[in-house]
Amino acid sequence: MNTKEKIITAALSLYNREGIRTVTTRQIAQEMGISAGNLHYHFKHTEDIIYTIFGQLQRDYDEMVLLFDKKDLVLRELLREFTDGSYRLINKYKFIFVNFVEICAWIPAIGESYRDLVMRREEQFISLFRHYAQLGMFRQDIPIAMLKGFVRQIFIISDFWYSSFAVLGGQCQSDALEDYRQTIEVTFYPYLT
Amino acid sequence: MNTKEKIITAALSLYNREGIRTVTTRQIAQEMGISAGNLHYHFKHTEDIIYTIFGQLQRDYDEMVLLFDKKDLVLRELLREFTDGSYRLINKYKFIFVNFVEICAWIPAIGESYRDLVMRREEQFISLFRHYAQLGMFRQDIPIAMLKGFVRQIFIISDFWYSSFAVLGGQCQSDALEDYRQTIEVTFYPYLT
DNA sequence: ACAAAATTAGAACAATTGTTCTAATTTTGT
DNA sequence: ACAAAATTAGAACAATTGTTCTAATTTTGT
């Protein structure tokens, strides 16, 4: 692992632990035992660090989705894989989820990139629901407008579940996954057959 | 309106417009044409300003809920009033919703106060659903565990809808309310009879 | 082996920020 | 009317922060 990667690792861990507001580049450098000057040799601006981490999140996400496509699962299994997979990402990149609006306002490129992703995801989800509707695992009587609303619902919940959990006092790491699973399950429940 | 109130008004407007990250007490003072020294005479710490604004949000919320209780509405009407009422609050106190996790980490008293509110709200919602279930307007076959999950869902969506909307590029203020209405409606739809 | 390029530490800079201090001015209660 | 209290402006402080600069050291390619 070269210095650049080490910086990313240390920054991610610190941001997740202390929050984006209070962590400074000096702190990140200190955490990993290098000088602040050295850190800024590798990443001229703090934004560059965050942008790089966001890129990593996106690559991790794409990798996950690709894995699903290969497997050709039953809807309930897919749901489980989606839940557990997205939970892993949320947990790994906590601080991005928690400070998402702020980050997007700060680094516009991230906002744009996210909007692209959401548009692609929306279509994927809808065609997936259609597919499972034909297999009789998903309700067929949902009009397209409502389907889109449902997808929106899923996005809000999966993107901001952690924010809610953190604020409600999610100290106990142990049942966080279980909490997330249940929240997603309840959301899907009325749409399954 | 005395200086203290003016500070709160200016701070709210600035935080909503520019975000909590970039706004300084100097800026707030400048916005309203007083000195920074004077501002800190009224609010010793920046936290005090934010805490006061949060108190205002809570009072506004309680006032809204009280209004509902008086009216004794049909479920669909109540839903509409809830949607429009909570939208007004979200819009008025944008920055709190958008920076909620950060604020709670920064000012623990706000987090605690919110957790209290959520607990009270949860019970209110559930007994309300029971009430409307008896009137035949809400599904009766929902087990209590799922009902709690549904309430959780509503909280996540109403508390973080604006974050999602802002990130997705909610420049167009005009159809923001309509977007919020639809999102809430879709969430409730499967539970109405 | 050695020159060029890459990396590193640490000092230094410049701007910012929350807050305090001081002295003046205004308001309030009697 | 006047003393005490409240309010205000502006300078000043102290700490922080992202970033740059310089000189030394290490690595790399040939």
Side-chain angles (χ1 to χ4, degrees):
Chain A
M1 199 157 63
N2 59 28
T3 309
K4 219 160 180 161
E5 292 168 332
K6 273 187 214 156
I7 292 171
I8 293 300
T9 307
L12 178 58
S13 144
L14 252 175
Y15 282 138
N16 280 341
R17 207 180 331 140
E18 321 238 331
I20 206 183
R21 189 188 181 76
T22 51
V23 172
T24 66
T25 48
R26 274 181 166 82
Q27 242 181 91
I28 297 170
Q30 199 193 2
E31 165 102 351
M32 51 189 295
I34 67 167
S35 67
N38 192 4
L39 183 144
H40 278 283
Y41 168 76
H42 289 283
F43 294 95
K44 206 160 195 212
H45 302 282
T46 316
E47 291 96 294
D48 302 332
I49 298 176
I50 300 200
Y51 190 70
T52 304
I53 294 178
F54 182 74
Q56 222 180 78
L57 162 59
Q58 273 195 313
R59 257 172 292 132
D60 280 10
Y61 180 81
D62 288 341
E63 201 180 300
M64 181 184 82
V65 170
L66 235 92
L67 235 89
F68 293 165
D69 287 350
K70 273 191 199 147
K71 290 186 180 168
D72 192 29
L73 300 157
V74 170
L75 182 50
R76 290 220 172 255
E77 285 166 5
L78 179 77
L79 214 64
R80 180 65 167 233
E81 298 252 342
F82 166 77
T83 311
D84 289 14
S86 57
Y87 176 80
R88 213 172 304 123
L89 290 188
I90 292 168
N91 209 47
K92 184 171 174 191
Y93 299 99
K94 276 175 194 163
F95 88 94
I96 293 187
F97 287 86
V98 155
N99 298 291
F100 201 50
V101 187
E102 204 183 337
I103 291 175
C104 289
W106 182 21
I107 308 166
I110 290 184
E112 286 160 31
S113 176
Y114 174 75
R115 281 188 284 281
D116 278 0
L117 178 73
V118 163
M119 302 233 287
R120 273 183 290 133
R121 271 209 293 180
E122 192 182 46
E123 305 216 348
Q124 283 172 2
F125 268 71
I126 290 195
S127 67
L128 210 67
F129 293 153
R130 286 237 174 83
H131 174 240
Y132 282 107
Q134 284 188 329
L135 294 176
M137 301 176 190
F138 193 90
R139 280 176 61 174
Q140 292 194 307
D141 58 331
I142 312 288
I144 180 72
M146 189 155 303
L147 218 55
K148 280 191 181 175
F150 175 52
V151 172
R152 178 77 182 282
Q153 221 186 109
I154 294 165
F155 289 172
I156 296 180
I157 287 177
S158 57
D159 285 345
F160 295 101
W161 162 82
Y162 185 74
S163 294
S164 167
F165 185 75
V167 157
L168 287 176
Q171 314 89 341
C172 36
Q173 274 281 5
S174 55
D175 47 13
L177 173 58
E178 201 43 51
D179 185 89
Y180 182 63
R181 274 182 186 157
Q182 270 176 26
T183 308
I184 294 286
E185 197 187 311
V186 168
T187 310
F188 270 91
Y189 187 78
Y191 294 87
L192 306 181
T193 54
Chain B
M1 198 155 67
N2 60 29
T3 309
K4 218 158 181 164
E5 292 167 334
K6 273 186 214 157
I7 292 171
I8 292 301
T9 308
L12 179 58
S13 144
L14 253 174
Y15 282 137
N16 281 341
R17 207 181 330 142
E18 321 238 330
I20 206 182
R21 188 188 181 77
T22 52
V23 172
T24 66
T25 49
R26 274 182 167 82
Q27 242 181 93
I28 297 169
Q30 199 191 3
E31 165 102 350
M32 51 189 296
I34 68 168
S35 67
N38 191 4
L39 182 144
H40 279 283
Y41 168 76
H42 289 283
F43 294 95
K44 206 157 195 216
H45 303 282
T46 315
E47 292 98 292
D48 302 332
I49 298 176
I50 299 198
Y51 190 72
T52 304
I53 295 178
F54 182 75
Q56 223 180 79
L57 162 60
Q58 274 195 312
R59 258 173 291 131
D60 280 9
Y61 180 81
D62 288 342
E63 202 179 299
M64 181 184 83
V65 170
L66 235 91
L67 235 90
F68 293 165
D69 287 349
K70 272 192 199 146
K71 291 186 179 168
D72 194 27
L73 301 158
V74 170
L75 181 50
R76 289 220 173 255
E77 286 166 3
L78 179 77
L79 214 63
R80 180 65 167 233
E81 298 252 341
F82 166 77
T83 310
D84 289 14
S86 57
Y87 176 79
R88 213 173 303 124
L89 291 189
I90 292 168
N91 210 47
K92 184 171 173 191
Y93 299 99
K94 277 174 193 162
F95 88 94
I96 294 186
F97 287 86
V98 155
N99 299 291
F100 202 49
V101 187
E102 204 183 336
I103 291 174
C104 288
W106 183 20
I107 308 167
I110 291 185
E112 286 160 30
S113 177
Y114 174 75
R115 282 187 283 280
D116 277 1
L117 178 73
V118 164
M119 302 232 288
R120 273 183 289 132
R121 270 209 292 181
E122 192 183 47
E123 305 216 348
Q124 283 172 0
F125 268 70
I126 290 195
S127 67
L128 210 66
F129 292 153
R130 286 236 174 85
H131 174 241
Y132 282 107
Q134 284 188 329
L135 293 176
M137 303 174 187
F138 192 91
R139 281 175 62 174
Q140 291 192 307
D141 59 331
I142 312 289
I144 179 71
M146 189 155 302
L147 218 53
K148 280 190 179 175
F150 175 52
V151 173
R152 178 77 182 282
Q153 223 187 106
I154 295 165
F155 287 173
I156 295 180
I157 287 177
S158 56
D159 285 346
F160 295 101
W161 162 82
Y162 185 75
S163 294
S164 168
F165 184 76
V167 157
L168 287 175
Q171 313 89 342
C172 38
Q173 274 281 5
S174 54
D175 48 12
L177 173 58
E178 200 44 51
D179 185 90
Y180 182 63
R181 273 183 187 156
Q182 270 176 26
T183 309
I184 295 286
E185 198 188 310
V186 168
T187 310
F188 270 91
Y189 188 78
Y191 294 88
L192 305 182
T193 55

